[in-house]
Structures are given as C-alpha cells and as structure tokens.
C-alpha cells in the first residue's frame, strides 16, 4: 500500500473507532436511564404501607379498581417521593458536574461550596427564629428560606469570583462559607428550644417526605429549562477541562462561561436542597461516576452525571425504606453512608478516569 | 501582512516583565523564532498576544489591534500552542480537536468537523493516536495534539511555545518542517525555541529577547554571534557549518566558572 493509501486507511480506522466510542457512550447513557427507571419502579414498590409492585403498576395504569386508600398512597406519596428522589439526585449531580468543570476541582459540589450549609442556615432561621420571607405561606416558608439563603450564598461566590478570578480561590471561599454557615447554624441550634431543634436536625438530615406535586413540578420545570443550556455549553466546557488559559486561547470566555454555569448550578442545587434538605455526596459522587464511565466529553458527561445522580438517590431512597424494617431513615444519612465507601473506592482507584 | 507589536507592557502582579516593548515587524509567510535565556519573557510575549495574560500596548494585525479584541474574535485569527497541555482524563485526542473546531464553527456539521479534525491530526502525525485519551499519550504527543487543536481552525497567525521541547529528533524535524510548510501557505509563524541550532536551520528570522527588551533581530547568520552567546547566554559558543549546509551551535563552556 502506498503512503496515501495508508493514510486513508488510518483515517477510516479512526472514524470507525470513533463511531464505536460514541456508540459505547450512548449505550452507557441508555444503561443509566434504564437504571433510573428501575430505581423509580423499585422505589414505588417499597414502603411501609405494603402496596405491592403489581398494585402500583395497576394504579398507575388506571387498571386498579379497588381500595381508594391505596390509590391515594401511590398517587400522593409513592409517586411524588420517587420522582423527587430522581429530580433531586439529577439536579444535585448536574450542579456538581458543572461546578467541578468550571472550578477545575474534582471536590467541588453544592455541598462543599457551602450551598447546602447556607440552605440549612436559611431553614434554621425559619424553623427556630421564625424569620421568613414576607408574604410566603407558612407551609413553604422553610423551603423558600432555604432557597433564598442558598442562592444568596452562590451570589456571594459569584461576587468573590468577580473580585478574585482564580478558581482555586473560589473553592477555598466556598469551603470558608461551609464553616461560616455551619457555625451560624450551630449558634441557632444552641439557643433553639427542644421541639424546633428536633425539626431543624431532621431537616438537615435530608428527607424526601415533603414530596408533593408542587415541589416535583417546580424542580422538573427548572431542570427541563436549564439542561438544554447545559448541553449547549458542553463544547466550551470540554475545552475548559483542558485548562483555563488553553480554553481562552481557543475562544472560550472563562468568566462568562463560569457565570452562566454557576447560575444554573446554583439554581438547581438551591431548589433541590430547599425541596429535600441537605443531601450530601450525590453532587460529588454522581459526576465522578459519570467521568469514570464516559470521560470528559461534556456532551456525554453532563447527561451521564444527571442520570447517575438520579439513580444514586433513587436507590438510596429504596435503601432508606428497607434498611431498618418499619423505619424510614432520612435519605441524607443513607447517601452519606453509601457515598462514603463509594468515594473512598473512587479515591483508591485514583486515576481510574484516565 | 505582518504582526506589529509596539509598547507592549505586561507583568505578573506587581512584577513587570516588559515595559513598552517594541518588537521588529513579524512578517507573514515566514517562521520567526523568539529566543533568549530563561526568564527573558519569551512565553510571556506569546501569552500576551494570545490573550492568556492581561497586557497593554498595541499588537496590530491587518489594522486591528488584537489586544482590544474580544477573546473569541482574537481566537479566530490566532492559534496558540502552549508549552504543556494538561492530561484531561477520558477525553480522546480526536474529541479535543473536534471540540476546538466546534467552538470555532458551531454550525459546522459533525461529520465535516470530524473530517477536518482528522486532517489536522494527520498533518501533525497523530492520526494513529486519534482515539487515545489525552492522558495516555506522552508529553510530546500532547503538544502535537495541542498543535492540531489550533491548526484545525486554520489560523492566520500561529504562536507556538517551545513546540519541540518534548520531542525526539525526528519529530522535532517534522514539526519544524510543518511550520515551514504552514508559513509557505502565507501564515505568520512565531515560535519560542531554546534550541538555537533548530532556530538557525528553520527560522527565517530570529528575535533575541534579553533584559526586558530586544537584544538582536535578523537572520541566524547575523544574530547568532559569539558576542551574543557571551552577553546574553553567558557561555562560550560558536556556530559552525555542517557538510550539508546546515548550521550548528556548539557550546564550549560557561563564560565564568559556576559559583
């Protein structure tokens, strides 16, 4: 074969190999989607009320003509809880993935950047001190407070980013926020009466028990509205993963990209935390799992992170129901307990993503 | 066409590297080598032109001041290949080149994008490693991937920071030959080089930076003199002529014994 023929053969080989790579990544995304679906089904089939999976399927497909109480349990408890698990997991993980890329730090997540701590502070203000956003109905005052505080903390981070551009300084500032808000929450806990202290502690453990149509709808709409923008930013984010200066020399505006991503991530994380309390590790582990599976091409990395987070929280929700018979453990405890060994395993695998 | 740099002031924090630096006109269709001792600011000049660090002054290209241009607009004219590229986990060499083109030309169909990326990789001799993750190729190969990321956008000006520093002799020759070819197509090529023999043989023009300014500029035979080696590099050295007409630089020792 002459040199030209060899070059053509090499190009054809690269195209075929690249097609295989793309198919594999799409298969991973498909697999994760199936896992999420399985998680939702399992989540809906588990619970203290003893509704079987068959009955759940019948009720959801309007083929169940029996007990109304069962219908109420499935439509008003099981379905919103299972969907909220998926949406909160997806939101936190997508937020974590974007934060890790734009801050160039694998430890960045809504939890480590202080968003969750700020939300806890906002919730504490409402639960213990009764300080709430004016005109907000009492039933959602804690969630609204948590959202406002979490969003305010990200605005603080944004402001800091404007003043001191470097991403490492930003991560350190986020960690400082964690300690700052934790200290404020501790002060409030110290002076709190027993009943509100119990309520606050329960809130900070994270729970899906507050799931209802409103919270599911709001989070679903936000996720559906922001995810296309995330996908649109996939190429510049891939270049940003090559390093800030490199990305800039290739026409990416790091500050603008960082602002837009942080805005999306903060909205998602704030609302997710407001709906379900502080749930750690999902925002950290989800992106790591996705990176191990599909690498750093953000066209695949972002959807994989979203689905990995959704699957993790969905299965955590199942574990929270079955680990102690008759007791519904706060999901934040389960994700941390499940997340910790996962995180250590990832650290031990070290350069697995390469 | 030429790149005209005047009054370039740039520094890191409070530390000024250059204050009002004027460079000789850098012409299109030629390979210009920036040489000088460590810390002379060679990479800084390239980074300032490419927009990696803030700078004041003027860098004119076709009556446009690149320093006043938006990052995106500037990247349409300039291709910059930095010294080291990071080993991004799980991103293939080919996908990194496609991403570069995709940000540059968002409307281009994916198949065309991939075709152009593969052409760029063929040009730098990286086609066989196209599917390898960036983290699994050598430092030199990563530099070549970086060159393909810039080349795929067909830039009018190509700035390269020590493109041969991590390459073996054959690949050094290939890259310098490629740069010569790119210059012959009418591009402006500016490359930082430490290897003066390489500069002497491949560059049409050499600019020597030292002590915050331009020490000398011109073709190799007028610039690379024993006096320059003594004053700028503090070594005893001379140039010689090889049998095939090539030029080499021989260093015989330091000017003064090391402390």
């Amino acid at each position: 074969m002459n040199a030209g023929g060899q070059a053509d053969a090499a190009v054809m080989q690269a195209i075929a190999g690249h097609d295989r790579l793309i198919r594999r990544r799409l298969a991973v995304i498909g697999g994760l989607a199936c896992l999420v679906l399985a998680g939702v089904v399992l989540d809906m089939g588990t619970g203290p009320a003893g509704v079987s999976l068959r009955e759940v399927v019948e009720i959801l497909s309007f083929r169940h003509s029996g007990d109304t109480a069962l219908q109420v349990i499935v439509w008003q408890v099981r379905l919103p809880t299972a969907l909220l698990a998926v949406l909160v997991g997806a939101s936190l993980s997508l937020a974590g993935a974007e934060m890790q890329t734009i801050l160039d730090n694998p430890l960045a997540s809504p939890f480590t950047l202080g968003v969750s701590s700020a939300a806890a502070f906002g919730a504490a203000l409402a639960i213990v001190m009764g300080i709430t956003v004016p005109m907000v109905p009492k039933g959602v005052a804690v969630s609204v407070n948590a959202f406002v505080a979490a969003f305010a903390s990200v605005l603080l981070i944004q402001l800091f980013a404007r003043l001191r551009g470097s991403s490492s300084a930003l991560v350190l500032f986020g960690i400082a926020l964690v300690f700052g808000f934790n200290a404020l929450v501790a002060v409030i806990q110290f002076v709190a009466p027993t009943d509100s202290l119990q309520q606050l502690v329960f809130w900070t453990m994270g729970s899906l028990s507050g799931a209802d149509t409103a919270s599911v709808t709001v989070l679903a709409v936000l996720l559906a509205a922001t995810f296309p923008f995330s996908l649109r930013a996939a190429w510049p984010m891939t270049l940003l993963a090559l390093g800030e200066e490199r990305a800039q020399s290739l026409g990416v505006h790091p500050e603008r990209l960082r602002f837009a991503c942080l805005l999306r991530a903060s909205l998602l994380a704030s609302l997710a935390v407001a709906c379900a309390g502080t749930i750690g590790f999902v925002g950290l582990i989800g992106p790591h799992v996705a990176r191990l599976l599909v690498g750093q091409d953000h066209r695949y990395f972002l959807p994989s992170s979203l689905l990995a987070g959704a699957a993790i929280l969905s299965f955590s929700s199942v574990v929270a129901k079955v680990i102690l018979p008759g007791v519904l453990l706060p999901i934040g405890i389960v994700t941390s307990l499940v997340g910790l060994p996962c995180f250590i395993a990832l650290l031990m695998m070290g350069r697995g993503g390469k | 066409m030429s790149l005209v740099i005047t009054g370039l002031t740039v520094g890191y924090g409070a530390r000024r590297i250059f204050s009002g630096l004027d460079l000789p006109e850098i012409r299109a269709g030629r390979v210009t080598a920036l040489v000088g001792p460590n810390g002379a600011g060679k990479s800084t000049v390239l980074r300032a032109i490419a927009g990696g660090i803030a700078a004041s002054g003027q860098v004119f290209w076709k009556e446009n001041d690149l320093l006043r241009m938006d990052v995106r607009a500037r990247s349409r004219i300039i291709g910059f290949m930095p010294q080291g590229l990071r080993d991004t986990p799980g991103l293939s060499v080919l996908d990194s080149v496609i991403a570069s083109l995709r940000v540059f030309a968002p409307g281009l169909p994916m198949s065309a994008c991939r075709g152009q990326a593969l052409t760029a990789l063929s040009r730098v001799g990286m086609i066989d490693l196209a599917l390898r993750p960036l983290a699994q190729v050598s430092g030199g190969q990563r530099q070549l991937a970086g060159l393909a990321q810039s080349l795929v956008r067909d830039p009018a000006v190509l700035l390269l920071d020590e493109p041969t520093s991590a390459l073996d002799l054959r690949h050094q020759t290939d890259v310098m030959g490629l740069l010569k070819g790119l210059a012959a197509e009418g591009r402006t090529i500016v490359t930082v080089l430490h290897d003066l023999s390489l500069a002497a043989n491949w560059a049409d023009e050499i600019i020597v930076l030292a002590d915050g300014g331009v020490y000398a500029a011109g073709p190799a035979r007028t610039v690379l003199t024993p006096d320059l080696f003594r004053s700028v590099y503090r070594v005893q050295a001379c140039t010689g002529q090889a049998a095939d007409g090539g030029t080499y630089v021989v260093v015989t020792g330091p000017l003064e014994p090391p402390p």
Side-chain angles (χ1 to χ4, degrees):
Chain A
M1 203 188 283
N2 61 23
Q6 272 177 357
D8 284 346
V11 168
M12 295 311 289
Q13 211 175 344
I15 288 175
H18 193 239
D19 281 339
R20 274 198 302 278
L21 199 69
I22 290 172
R23 277 199 297 275
R24 201 164 63 218
R25 286 171 179 165
L26 289 176
V28 167
I29 291 176
L32 283 172
C34 291
L35 206 61
V36 172
L37 207 63
V40 170
V41 171
L42 209 60
D43 197 6
M44 290 191 63
T46 338
V51 189
S52 72
L53 202 55
R54 193 174 57 82
E55 284 172 316
V56 168
V57 173
E58 276 177 10
I59 290 169
L60 287 179
S61 55
F62 303 102
R63 284 189 281 119
H64 192 269
S65 52
D67 197 347
T68 345
L70 288 189
Q71 302 218 13
V72 171
I73 287 171
V74 170
W75 285 110
Q76 291 182 17
V77 180
R78 295 267 179 102
L79 184 64
T81 307
L83 291 181
L84 192 64
V86 166
L87 291 167
V88 168
S91 302
L92 290 176
S93 186
L94 181 62
E98 296 207 27
M99 284 173 167
Q100 286 177 15
T101 298
I102 55 162
L103 298 177
D104 192 20
N105 193 314
L107 290 177
S109 81
F111 206 73
T112 47
L113 279 186
V115 179
S116 307
S117 305
F121 173 65
L125 282 181
I127 294 169
V128 179
M129 322 277 283
I131 301 170
T132 56
V133 179
M135 321 277 278
V136 170
K138 209 162 185 271
V140 291
V142 175
S143 297
V144 171
N145 254 32
F147 177 78
V148 169
F151 199 66
S153 80
V154 183
L155 291 183
L156 262 179
I157 293 178
Q158 288 276 23
L159 186 70
F160 187 76
R162 287 271 154 138
L163 300 173
R164 282 285 310 270
S166 94
S167 49
S168 55
L170 222 60
V171 174
L172 286 173
F173 183 68
I175 290 171
L177 281 185
V178 172
F179 282 99
F181 282 119
N182 282 353
L184 287 173
V185 171
V187 168
I188 294 176
Q189 282 177 336
F190 189 69
V191 299
T194 318
D195 56 336
S196 51
L197 179 65
Q198 198 175 9
Q199 200 188 338
L200 175 60
V201 169
F202 187 74
W203 191 92
T204 55
M205 286 174 179
S207 167
L208 298 169
S209 56
D212 55 17
T213 317
S215 57
V216 168
T217 311
V218 171
L219 199 49
V221 167
L222 182 68
L223 195 59
T226 51
F227 190 53
F229 289 99
S230 303
L231 281 182
R232 242 185 91 188
W235 290 112
M237 284 172 88
T238 301
L239 289 187
L240 200 60
L242 294 171
E244 188 167 324
E245 192 175 341
R246 181 65 187 143
Q248 195 167 0
S249 74
L250 293 172
V252 175
H253 216 299
E255 282 88 24
R256 276 186 216 164
L257 185 65
R258 192 178 288 151
F259 178 79
C261 289
L262 213 49
L263 194 66
R264 278 197 301 274
S266 56
L267 274 171
L268 283 171
S270 308
L271 197 58
V273 174
C275 288
T278 46
I279 297 177
F281 273 116
V282 181
L284 192 65
I285 294 288
H288 277 280
V289 171
R291 201 174 286 117
L292 280 173
L293 291 173
V294 297
Q296 288 262 55
D297 186 334
H298 280 61
R299 285 176 300 160
Y300 308 104
F301 172 57
L302 294 176
S304 301
S305 296
L306 179 143
L307 291 168
I312 290 170
L313 209 61
S314 201
F315 281 97
S316 296
S317 171
V318 176
V319 173
K321 288 185 216 171
V322 300
I323 199 162
L324 289 176
V327 177
L328 176 64
L329 270 185
I331 196 164
I333 296 178
V334 177
T335 52
S336 292
L337 285 178
V338 172
L340 191 66
C342 287
F343 192 55
I344 290 171
L346 280 172
L347 286 179
M348 300 296 275
M349 284 158 81
R351 296 161 70 91
K354 301 190 176 183
Chain B
M1 270 184 297
S2 55
L3 198 59
V4 181
I5 299 166
T6 51
L8 192 70
T9 299
V10 55
Y12 298 98
R15 195 174 131 244
R16 281 272 169 89
I17 304 293
F18 294 112
S19 195
L21 175 75
D22 297 328
L23 285 188
E25 186 179 337
I26 298 171
R27 280 180 286 167
R30 298 162 74 90
V31 175
T32 302
L34 269 185
V35 305
N38 290 337
K42 307 178 292 293
S43 303
T44 305
V45 169
L46 294 197
R47 290 178 66 201
I49 302 171
I53 43 171
S56 61
Q58 284 96 38
V59 178
F60 274 99
W61 171 258
K62 283 190 185 172
E63 297 172 4
N64 293 314
D65 187 352
L66 297 178
L67 295 188
R68 306 280 173 284
M69 271 186 182
D70 175 53
V71 167
R72 185 176 280 267
R74 199 186 314 198
S75 79
R76 294 188 171 275
I77 298 169
I78 290 178
F80 174 52
M81 178 187 159
Q83 206 172 341
L85 259 185
R86 147 194 310 201
D87 52 350
T88 311
L91 184 67
S92 74
V93 169
L94 175 58
D95 283 325
S96 76
V97 181
I98 292 176
S100 167
L101 183 56
R102 200 69 185 177
V103 167
F104 179 73
L108 201 65
M110 197 54 209
S111 56
C113 239
R114 185 165 69 179
Q116 290 186 30
L118 287 167
T119 307
L121 285 171
S122 298
R123 248 189 133 171
V124 301
M126 284 283 287
I127 191 73
D128 292 332
L129 299 173
L131 299 178
R132 197 74 76 76
L134 275 173
Q136 287 176 16
V137 297
S138 71
Q141 288 163 339
R142 240 186 336 262
Q143 275 188 312
L144 292 175
L147 182 54
Q149 288 162 11
S150 297
L151 215 51
V152 76
R153 301 160 152 242
D154 197 19
V157 179
L158 195 55
L159 311 174
L160 305 101
D161 195 357
E162 296 190 42
T164 56
S165 60
L167 299 178
D168 59 43
L169 289 177
R170 173 59 202 259
H171 282 98
Q172 284 183 15
T173 313
D174 286 349
V175 165
M176 293 313 292
L178 175 66
L179 296 188
K180 267 296 209 200
L182 291 169
E185 290 169 8
R187 280 177 242 268
T188 306
I189 310 289
V190 185
T191 175
V192 167
L193 288 174
H194 263 306
D195 186 333
L196 295 179
S197 295
L198 221 49
N201 285 303
W202 293 96
D204 301 296
E205 191 95 5
I206 294 178
I207 298 174
V208 185
L209 290 179
D211 302 323
V214 175
Y215 184 87
R221 65 189 146 70
T222 61
V223 171
L224 300 181
T225 58
D227 176 52
L228 174 115
F229 297 132
R230 276 197 300 274
S231 322
V232 173
Y233 288 96
R234 315 291 300 161
V235 291
Q236 296 278 7
C238 61
T239 56
Q241 211 73 33
D244 63 358
T247 306
Y248 56 84
V249 176
V250 181
V251 178
T252 50
L255 201 59
E256 64 276 316

